[in-house]
Amino acid sequence: MNRRYRKTVIAGNWKMNMTATETKKFAEDMKKIMPRVKWCETLICVPACNISTAIKAFKDLRISVGAENVYFEEKGAYTGEVSADMLKDLGVKYVIVGHSERRQYFCETDTTVNKKVHAVLNAGMNPIICVGESLEQRETGITDEWIALQVKSALYGVPADKLRRCIIAYEPIWAIGTGKVAGPDEVLATHAVVRRLLCERLGETGNRIPILYGGSVKPANAGNLIGLDNVDGLLIGGASLDAQSFVQIIRA
Ligand code: 13P
């Protein structure tokens, strides 16, 4: 299916970077160079404490603000956690769920990822569901099965009307922050696995769900990546922290 029928999404993930002051400075820098973007949805996921600042600062830039995480319970005695309704109330549209760093450092499992996907959808936002294999898994030849399992688990029990609001991000763990971007054949093959799964669940509508690539995306490789079949956008870590390089990627 032609990519015209899918939204192109250029998303930044700031991880645990940028203070509120730095967020405002980034917005000022962006105002000088940001093109009037019609060809894609641009968003940046920021630390929870800076969401309000970012929403205010990015308003005129037409950059949506996303969250990097959420807790799945609606409310209650969960000290330190942030609920989906709290994010929605601030004006958040997108929430990253199941990033490999959260799976690795914060004991996120396929089960909690699935609960978070439900919570985000129930609150009326769009989950950006991250999946990806380790180098060991790729070398063992089980990437396709692993990715399929992660996608299936994340989407378990999600009804078709809500599935349409999901975004999948394929981020090979070995490519994150390493400067080692996945090769075109690897990206094509894995994105095709995800697309097949989505179409099995949704029929033709499965073609409308954006699949993003993430992992060492830079201005120099963004154009080639976005030109690949079934790559409907990019999830960018390090390169989204710099206004110049983020704009170069948007232009690519
Ligand atoms: P890098 O672009 O820094 O490799 O990070 C990718 C990522 O984890 C985005 O979620």
Side-chain angles (χ1 to χ4, degrees), residues 11-15 96 99-101 130 169 171-172 175-180 213-218 235-241:
N13 172 12
W14 278 0
K15 311 192 178 185
I96 294 177
H99 192 282
S100 62
E101 287 150 16
C130 297
E171 300 203 302
I176 295 176
T178 57
K180 255 194 266 170
Y213 169 82
S216 294
V217 175
K218 304 279 179 257
L235 184 54
I236 307 140
S240 71
L241 295 168

Side-chain angles (χ1 to χ4, degrees), residues 29 51 60 89 109 136 162 164 176 201 220 229:
D29 293 345
I51 286 171
D60 298 337
D89 191 54
T109 64
E136 196 184 4
K162 286 189 176 149
R164 284 175 205 145
I176 295 176
R201 277 287 295 276
D229 209 22

